[in-house]
Amino acid sequence: MCLLLGLLYMTGSARAVEPYEIVANSGLNEKTLSKNALRAIFGMRLHTWPDGTPIHVFVLPDEAPLHIAFSKEKLNVFPYQLRAAWDRLVFSGTGQAPETVASPEEMLAKVGSTPGAIGYLTRSRMDSTVNVLQVK
Amino acid sequence: MFCKSSNHIRRCLTRDVVRLVVVSAVLSNCVAYAQKLPIPQNLPNNLQIHGFASQSWLKSTNNNNVFGKSSSDSGSFDFRELGLNASMRPKPNLQFSAQMISRTAGKGSPGNIRLDYGFIDYAFLSGEDSKMGIRLGRMKNPLGFYNATRDVPFTRPTILLPQSIYFDRTRKLAIAADGGHLYGEHRSDIGNLSVQFGAVRPLVRGAETEVALLGREMPGHLSPDILYIGQVNYELDEGRLRFAFSGAQLNINYDPASSERLGAGSIRFTPLIFSAQYNAERWSFTSEYALRHFEYKNFGSPPLDLNFWGESYYIQGVYRITPEWEAIARYDVLYTNSDDRNGKKWAAATGGDPHRRYAKDITVGLRWNVTPEFMLRAEYHRVNGTAWLSTLDNPTSGDLSPHWNLFSILGSYRF
């Protein structure tokens, strides 16, 4: 039973994700950000862009393949660690959680319409309401 | 395990299975209902609302009770945790947060609704790599990895936190306090360092604290001085390795009632906790080591004028079998007085049972994330010693057995 579940899990996590990018609301001036800043933003510890605009963080559900790939490849953490860190902030009152969106369509709609928003999308889902952010 | 004859076992099992099915059905209904609730997003001022509800069932052997009459035939359902919090961030460097909690856990926690925390957090310095700020109000005490969120099942590794360090007996001393915290963070390629320091007034009230500190309910009352508390955290590689050191010093004065022979004594309590954690994809290992210095003065009663160190530690391994299933094993040790690990000196001096002064707990457990919002847990404890058992739930020390078992299940919902 466990072996079977384990195999399912491995095939699940090995499934390739389409090429994706870190995206921000198109009104934002930033085109690049450091790896440290990216990790601090998704760790919910950095709250403003260099120009003073408040940051709004959007994520897909913990089990979404794109969220897993983004967490591991761009942030170098596992989704359970992010969830634990957000829970520590939320339930001790010392911070807030990012907003979870249900689908890539909602991610595009939210990031595209919220000033200062950041998220991630596969290239095929992007349009002119969002800009790609390069990690230096 | 808990039933004696085979017929009895069958009856017990049938009854417990029926009860479990009923509880699960009720809980899953709650979940289904809760998932239909419109949880508002995009609220003004970045308002966020979160909460949790959990119900546990505990069954223990012998006469050793954990949270209600858990050693009775039907076990105890007397462990329930409900919480609701709200936070607002009107500006990026300013946050307001508050949480209300109702916790039912045996005689020590009757389930009254109370303010768990409520404070203003203002970051007066904030840059890409560092931040400094202040918190004013009622904050959770940063002690070890788990104290600040100890009543939230989703943030705990097991149904019961390792009791050697996270005593439920003296939780009112540890849980939260009123005053101010100063904090700072620095992020760099060689890790993230964060520091907080607080001068606060603890919420020492209630019979449980008197029993924990003075051995029984007292006619006078305890009044705490300022509690100084600090924690240093270091995270390497985004939390793959986490280290923390927490320390506190608390002075509590005792005002005796006029009818008492006891003097106006004071208790100085100094806990120090070292914490370490390693997080890999499937595995997490956690260990914490605590030293607690107790100094009792001016009670004018020799058995109460004490000076000793308590010692605790646990090692814990978690294995994530799949994203939904997780297994855990832990070994947890508590010595009330590290110079008297088997309690024999204390027993000779007081006539008490030596097993009240130590506890060694082997725990194994399973967690099932049924959905991201709903979790079920089961765990089994094999314990030698009774040092962390509540005196309120176990009023007659002579009834307790040094070797005992505890089984527990928990269902918890969050949003």
Side-chain angles (χ1 to χ4, degrees):
Chain A
M1 171 73 171
C2 287
L3 196 67
L4 190 68
L5 286 170
L7 283 171
L8 282 172
Y9 178 61
M10 278 189 285
T11 48
S13 60
R15 190 168 56 213
V17 171
E18 276 182 71
Y20 63 94
E21 301 287 353
I22 298 156
V23 293
N25 181 270
S26 60
L28 194 77
N29 296 322
E30 307 301 310
K31 297 290 175 277
T32 62
L33 79 174
S34 70
K35 188 149 190 167
N36 267 340
L38 181 73
R39 289 164 156 188
I41 287 169
F42 280 89
M44 300 304 284
R45 297 186 164 274
L46 179 58
H47 306 289
T48 46
W49 295 106
D51 68 0
T53 310
I55 300 176
H56 288 271
V57 182
F58 293 92
V59 291
L60 288 166
D62 290 5
E63 65 277 13
L66 179 54
H67 178 73
I68 298 170
F70 167 77
S71 303
K72 283 157 74 163
E73 294 165 11
K74 305 293 181 188
L75 304 178
N76 201 24
V77 299
F78 304 110
Y80 81 88
Q81 289 175 282
L82 281 176
R83 182 55 61 189
W86 298 336
D87 282 350
R88 283 195 293 272
L89 295 173
V90 164
F91 290 104
S92 66
T94 55
Q96 292 191 313
E99 189 173 325
T100 304
V101 292
S103 63
E105 291 76 17
E106 195 185 348
M107 177 72 89
L108 177 64
K110 286 283 172 70
V111 176
S113 64
T114 312
I118 184 169
Y120 42 79
L121 279 171
T122 53
R123 285 186 195 142
S124 58
R125 301 273 186 188
M126 289 160 41
D127 67 15
S128 63
T129 61
V130 296
N131 285 343
V132 171
L133 277 177
Q134 297 297 342
V135 178
K136 285 182 291 194
Chain B
M1 183 164 38
F2 305 111
C3 305
K4 279 148 203 126
S5 72
S6 65
N7 259 339
H8 191 192
I9 288 176
R10 200 167 307 130
R11 275 208 311 278
C12 276
L13 278 177
T14 316
R15 191 189 51 206
D16 288 344
V17 165
V18 166
R19 187 168 281 145
L20 259 177
V21 168
V22 170
V23 169
S24 322
V26 169
L27 277 170
S28 61
N29 262 335
C30 291
V31 172
Y33 176 69
Q35 280 173 343
K36 284 179 209 139
L37 287 177
I39 308 275
Q41 298 208 325
N42 251 341
L43 293 164
N45 292 322
N46 299 310
L47 176 66
Q48 288 194 357
I49 295 169
H50 295 276
F52 59 93
S54 74
Q55 171 67 54
S56 305
W57 176 71
L58 303 108
K59 175 82 182 91
S60 53
T61 58
N62 308 88
N63 291 309
N64 300 14
N65 288 311
V66 180
F67 300 153
K69 284 268 173 219
S70 62
S71 68
S72 67
D73 276 355
S74 53
S76 171
F77 281 93
D78 208 9
F79 185 25
R80 210 163 14 262
E81 296 157 302
L82 308 166
L84 187 65
N85 70 53
S87 61
M88 245 170 73
R89 196 173 268 278
K91 292 188 181 329
N93 57 355
L94 182 67
Q95 181 169 328
F96 299 91
S97 308
Q99 177 162 275
M100 303 300 288
I101 276 191
S102 157
R103 179 178 189 263
T104 306
K107 289 208 168 128
S109 291
N112 50 311
I113 298 170
R114 58 179 174 79
L115 179 68
D116 188 42
Y117 60 73
F119 59 88
I120 299 173
D121 181 330
Y122 175 65
F124 50 81
L125 275 176
S126 181
E128 189 180 311
D129 299 324
S130 15
K131 183 156 90 170
M132 270 189 91
I134 188 168
R135 299 188 180 114
L136 292 174
R138 173 172 300 176
M139 282 80 59
K140 304 308 298 269
N141 289 326
L143 288 170
F145 282 149
Y146 298 113
N147 191 61
T149 57
R150 64 188 289 161
D151 295 331
V152 190
F154 276 86
T155 70
R156 298 196 296 248
T158 40
I159 299 172
L160 293 184
L161 276 172
Q163 293 292 296
S164 72
I165 291 176
Y166 303 95
F167 291 158
D168 273 303
R169 275 203 299 147
T170 52
R171 54 180 268 111
K172 286 189 188 90
L173 275 178
I175 189 142
D178 299 335
H181 281 185
L182 199 62
Y183 67 89
E185 287 174 19
H186 184 71
R187 295 178 288 271
S188 74
D189 292 334
I190 55 158
N192 300 339
L193 184 71
S194 64
V195 180
Q196 38 184 327
F197 176 79
V200 289
R201 193 177 175 281
L203 320 171
V204 192
R205 276 190 292 272
E208 188 78 336
T209 312
E210 288 172 13
V211 172
L213 290 172
L214 296 171
R216 60 192 161 86
E217 287 183 49
M218 304 299 286
H221 76 272
L222 292 169
S223 60
D225 273 355
I226 298 295
L227 162 69
Y228 296 100
I229 190 161
Q231 187 174 57
V232 180
N233 275 283
Y234 179 67
E235 291 194 0
L236 195 63
D237 209 5
E238 291 313 296
R240 186 170 291 256
L241 272 170
R242 297 172 65 211
F243 298 97
F245 169 70
S246 326
Q249 186 167 78
L250 171 63
N251 294 298
I252 303 165
N253 300 310
Y254 181 67
D255 301 325
S258 54
S259 58
E260 257 183 308
R261 292 212 339 263
L262 220 53
S266 67
I267 304 163
R268 172 177 282 190
F269 176 43
T270 315
L272 306 170
I273 306 175
F274 302 84
S275 315
Q277 186 172 65
Y278 172 74
N279 290 304
E281 185 154 22
R282 296 298 187 94
W283 289 97
S284 292
F285 294 100
T286 310
S287 183
E288 297 194 282
Y289 175 81
L291 284 168
R292 291 176 306 279
H293 187 209
F294 290 89
E295 203 176 354
Y296 292 68
K297 278 189 196 159
N298 304 325
F299 281 94
S301 155
L304 260 184
D305 286 335
L306 300 165
N307 188 337
F308 63 94
W309 289 84
E311 190 180 1
S312 327
Y313 64 86
Y314 70 85
I315 46 171
Q316 168 182 288
V318 169
Y319 183 68
R320 279 168 283 276
I321 305 159
T322 70
E324 288 79 32
W325 285 90
E326 188 178 294
I328 187 165
R330 181 171 66 221
Y331 181 57
D332 178 44
V333 178
L334 163 64
Y335 300 114
T336 305
N337 182 346
S338 61
D339 284 335
D340 182 24
R341 295 185 171 207
N342 55 21
K344 284 189 177 153
K345 286 187 212 165
W346 179 81
T350 64
D353 295 305
H355 57 76
R356 296 296 283 150
R357 305 291 279 182
Y358 62 86
K360 296 167 194 180
D361 177 355
I362 297 171
T363 305
V364 290
L366 273 178
R367 168 179 174 161
W368 177 25
N369 297 313
V370 184
T371 72
E373 295 82 25
F374 183 61
M375 144 182 101
L376 286 173
R377 252 185 187 152
E379 71 195 38
Y380 170 69
H381 297 250
R382 186 165 186 82
V383 195
N384 173 13
T386 62
W388 49 256
L389 283 179
S390 155
T391 315
L392 288 181
D393 283 325
N394 300 277
T396 316
S397 179
D399 290 348
L400 297 175
S401 300
H403 295 275
W404 56 290
N405 302 307
L406 172 70
F407 177 74
S408 181
I409 52 173
L410 168 145
S412 185
Y413 172 74
R414 58 163 312 151
F415 65 88

